[in-house]
Amino acid sequence: MEELFNFELTWQLIRDDEYVRTALLAAAILGLVAGVLGPLIVSRNMAFAVHGTSELSFTGGAAALLIGINIGYGALIGAVVAALIMGLLSRRSSEHDSVIGVLLAFGLGVGVLLLWFYPGRASNKFGLLVGQIVGVDFASLALLSVCAVGVFVVLAVIYRPLLFASVDAELARARGVPTRALAAIFAVLVGIATALGVQTVGALLVLSLMVTPGAAAARVTASPLRATLLAVVFAEIAAVGGIVLSLAPGAPVSAFVCTISFVIYVICWTISVARGRPRKLTGGSAIEPAGRRESVVVSR
Amino acid sequence: MTVDNPTDTTTTTSTAISLRGATLSYGDRVLWDGLDLDIAPGEFVAVLGPNGSGKTSLLRVLLGLQRLSAGTVEVAGARPGRASRSVGYIPQQRALDPSLTVRGRDLVGLGLDGHRWGIGFGGMRDRRRRVTDAVAAVGATDFADRPVGLLSGGEQQRLRVAQALVGDPAVLLCDEPLLSLDIANQRAVSTLIDKRRRDADTAVVFVTHEINPVLPLVDRVLYLVDGRFRIGTPDEVMTSKNLSELYRAAVEVIKVRGQIHVVGVHSGLCEDESHHHLAEAE
């Protein structure tokens, strides 16, 4: 346990170990992408979709491992295919969740089968599920960077209409915003980011970077810009901080990433409660019941 | 202020909305046929009728989301959808998601440039001033920095009015904007809409199932029933004879203390039913 606070060893690893430095760089890029997408994911209620996408990304990664290509490409293909299916197949949110559940379970099952076929080392297999960021090599880092830049460029173009569609889809449609196309494009962006996350924190724990920072930011600010900046800071602290803390004890990275992320969320949640800004479910200045009931009828 | 004959104003300004022989049908079902309607700047037209009579579809045509089966339509001198900036739209009040990381002023700002691509760092100062003005004009300054999802229905609807007006529209399209608001907020929202069309000569098309809250503001009524329609002032259209012909059933119109009540029609005037028509149209 005392190894956790062995700063000397930690510093030595960061200074001398190329793999560690590459991993830190990868984590920083990942934190940036996840942080920027996070508030939009939360606003669009896509947490479960992210989880589903990450499981299919795992399937893609497992397939890549078996046929011997870069796991990153496999994860990317799996995630983008999953995102497109989820984005296009159903629009009604009730149906949406069950479609994700169906795909997720099937994808995970297929992935497990593919891994069973794989004759190689078990640590590679395990890594896809819970992450192995220190295994990120230069090729992966290049792929990561290219994907991140691509995500930012596309997001910069679609940001305003996407925000509009996320806030009030009907209003946005009335103003000529192509809400369906934007939903599909955003799903692909989320798929790409998720695939990047799968290689680092693993398929099971991607949510801790893609959703938790955004959700934490949403507790403490309502400004879209501030929420994005905070989510980036939170995701960076979790991703980079998680690696740094894991170095000395040599423990799994994802455990630290998830814990830091969770602690940040709890802090933000406490702040929002202390500020006396309870969410609607717990009372406060809620809308009259008629308004709520109607939203169920009218929403897509 | 009532514009009795809209063609009189064409010498100074063009018509805000022009429908010529407009027909909308889904397969065999004709919603309306041969609709000719010119709406002048500053005119307030209420669109009435039972559910499924094509009120919301008319708005969708004017917004450019739905194409006519026949005839032509012009909104603010352009094809619908092309003049997106000069058209404001106020939808029904629906609760916004409380988890949205969006303040009231952000919602209003989206009405200005939310349909544009890119981040839009240019003209930030001008944008901020216009949003602040629009928020102030609807009396929403006090709550414009709070998360929209935590505001009351009336507060959200005021912001939607600001959102519709911030682009300085020539035409304002309203789809049951008073629905599920209490009477004080109904009055506040309809007063804001009325003020706008008087100050800025904005033409207003106001879809509603209940004319009384806006009766003092209405210049003309478009009453749609089963493909038939009547256009005219409320006094001209809202008569027992007219509505009986439209509904092809005995309908009685009773005027009490400046209000109009239609007796003998159960569909469309029942408050609960109108909540569903938008879902059907989607």
Side-chain angles (χ1 to χ4, degrees):
Chain A
M1 188 64 203
E2 61 267 27
E3 282 190 332
L4 184 58
F5 301 104
N6 188 339
F7 298 117
E8 208 170 310
L9 178 59
T10 302
W11 172 242
Q12 193 188 332
L13 282 166
I14 293 174
R15 196 186 50 202
D16 296 339
D17 193 328
E18 183 115 9
Y19 282 109
V20 170
R21 282 209 301 274
T22 309
L24 284 173
L25 196 54
I29 295 170
L30 184 63
L32 194 59
V33 177
V36 168
L37 294 179
L40 285 164
I41 291 171
V42 172
S43 286
R44 296 176 69 85
N45 292 319
M46 283 176 63
F48 192 48
V50 170
H51 189 55
T53 306
S54 70
E55 302 301 349
L56 273 103
S57 178
F58 157 76
T59 314
L65 196 62
L66 189 62
I67 58 179
I69 60 171
N70 188 329
I71 295 176
Y73 292 115
L76 202 55
I77 293 166
V80 170
V81 168
L84 277 176
I85 293 172
M86 288 174 199
L88 295 176
L89 210 59
S90 70
R91 285 201 293 159
R92 292 213 346 257
S93 59
S94 56
E95 206 174 82
H96 195 80
D97 275 2
S98 49
V99 168
I100 293 168
V102 168
L103 285 176
L104 182 159
F106 177 66
L108 204 52
V110 171
V112 168
L113 183 69
L114 291 172
L115 282 189
W116 181 72
F117 281 130
Y118 177 65
R121 282 191 306 132
S123 71
N124 277 349
K125 306 177 181 181
F126 197 50
L128 272 176
L129 281 173
V130 298
Q132 48 173 12
I133 195 162
V134 186
V136 172
D137 56 19
F138 183 73
S140 304
L141 194 63
L143 181 65
L144 196 66
S145 313
V146 170
C147 288
V149 170
V151 167
F152 286 135
V153 169
V154 174
L155 192 65
V157 173
I158 67 169
Y159 185 79
R160 271 187 299 179
L162 182 68
L163 184 67
F164 202 178
S166 312
V167 173
D168 194 331
E170 196 220 333
L171 205 55
R173 255 195 307 277
R175 300 284 309 220
V177 173
T179 52
R180 278 201 84 176
L182 285 177
I185 293 170
F186 186 66
V188 171
L189 295 188
V190 169
I192 292 170
T194 305
L196 306 182
V198 165
Q199 290 183 79
T200 48
V201 284
L204 294 179
L205 305 171
V206 155
L207 289 180
S208 66
L209 280 183
M210 296 288 288
V211 174
T212 314
R219 305 281 337 184
V220 292
T221 179
S223 149
L225 179 66
R226 247 174 282 157
T228 305
L229 293 177
L230 273 180
V232 168
V233 170
F234 294 163
E236 291 290 355
I237 293 174
V240 177
I243 291 178
V244 171
L245 283 185
S246 74
L247 288 176
V253 169
S254 43
F256 291 94
V257 174
C258 294
T259 305
I260 295 173
S261 205
F262 177 70
V263 168
I264 290 173
Y265 180 80
V266 169
I267 292 170
C268 289
W269 182 82
T270 311
I271 292 172
S272 78
V273 171
R275 272 187 192 165
R277 208 179 90 183
R279 293 282 151 170
K280 265 184 191 158
L281 292 176
T282 57
S285 61
I287 275 185
E288 52 270 36
R292 287 199 69 81
R293 195 173 58 239
E294 194 184 348
S295 75
V296 176
V297 178
V298 176
S299 62
R300 292 164 292 158
Chain B
M1 170 66 214
T2 309
V3 183
D4 288 315
N5 187 354
T7 48
D8 282 350
T9 60
T10 48
T11 46
T12 49
T13 36
S14 60
T15 50
I17 291 174
S18 168
L19 288 153
R20 285 277 169 277
T23 301
L24 186 64
S25 53
Y26 297 108
D28 290 343
R29 191 163 154 259
V30 177
L31 285 178
W32 21 268
D33 184 9
L35 179 61
D36 291 318
L37 178 62
D38 282 312
I39 300 177
E43 198 179 3
F44 193 117
V45 175
V47 182
L48 296 166
N51 299 324
S53 59
K55 291 179 302 201
T56 294
S57 297
L58 177 63
L59 278 195
R60 290 175 57 79
V61 165
L62 297 176
L63 285 165
L65 299 174
Q66 171 82 52
R67 287 183 61 167
L68 288 173
S69 314
T72 59
V73 55
E74 255 188 27
V75 178
R79 274 206 350 244
R82 288 291 173 83
S84 156
R85 177 75 185 268
S86 40
V87 176
Y89 173 63
I90 308 175
Q92 284 182 18
Q93 200 284 316
R94 301 180 312 285
L96 293 165
D97 194 328
S99 69
L100 286 170
T101 49
V102 170
R103 297 160 302 178
R105 63 172 60 254
D106 300 313
L107 179 70
V108 176
L110 287 171
L112 193 60
D113 57 11
H115 58 289
R116 297 240 198 106
W117 305 102
I119 295 178
F121 279 124
M124 286 291 259
R125 185 171 301 181
D126 179 51
R127 182 182 193 273
R128 187 170 306 165
R129 185 183 53 77
R130 294 184 68 160
V131 169
T132 304
D133 290 350
V135 165
V138 299
T141 307
D142 287 345
F143 50 83
D145 287 313
R146 302 230 303 269
V148 277
L150 298 184
L151 300 176
S152 76
E155 289 168 336
Q156 289 184 357
Q157 201 63 347
R158 273 170 194 248
L159 289 165
R160 285 201 178 93
V161 174
Q163 172 277 138
L165 297 182
V166 70
D168 204 14
V171 173
L172 185 58
L173 306 174
C174 315
D175 189 4
E176 308 254 14
L178 309 182
L179 208 63
S180 84
L181 296 182
D182 58 35
I183 291 186
N185 276 309
Q186 284 190 0
R187 191 159 300 154
V189 169
S190 53
T191 305
L192 288 169
I193 294 170
D194 187 45
K195 184 175 183 306
R196 168 69 197 188
R197 63 118 178 197
R198 286 178 193 282
D199 293 351
D201 241 11
T202 300
V204 178
V205 177
F206 195 99
V207 167
T208 181
H209 67 281
E210 171 61 281
I211 191 174
N212 286 316
V214 290
L215 189 58
L217 320 178
V218 172
D219 295 321
R220 282 194 297 165
V221 168
L222 167 62
Y223 208 120
L224 299 163
V225 183
D226 285 341
R228 299 175 292 278
F229 57 85
R230 288 280 190 285
I231 303 171
T233 65
D235 282 341
E236 286 167 11
V237 173
M238 306 292 282
T239 65
S240 299
K241 179 173 169 293
N242 265 333
L243 293 200
S244 295
E245 280 174 19
L246 280 175
Y247 281 101
R248 292 189 175 159
V251 172
E252 195 147 351
V253 177
I254 303 166
K255 294 176 184 171
V256 198
R257 281 201 270 162
Q259 294 205 328
I260 297 177
H261 292 278
V262 181
V263 184
V265 187
H266 41 84
S267 78
L269 295 164
C270 168
E271 181 123 8
D272 286 330
E273 283 182 32
S274 61
H275 292 203
H276 300 283
H277 78 278
L278 195 74
E280 287 160 15
E282 280 298 310

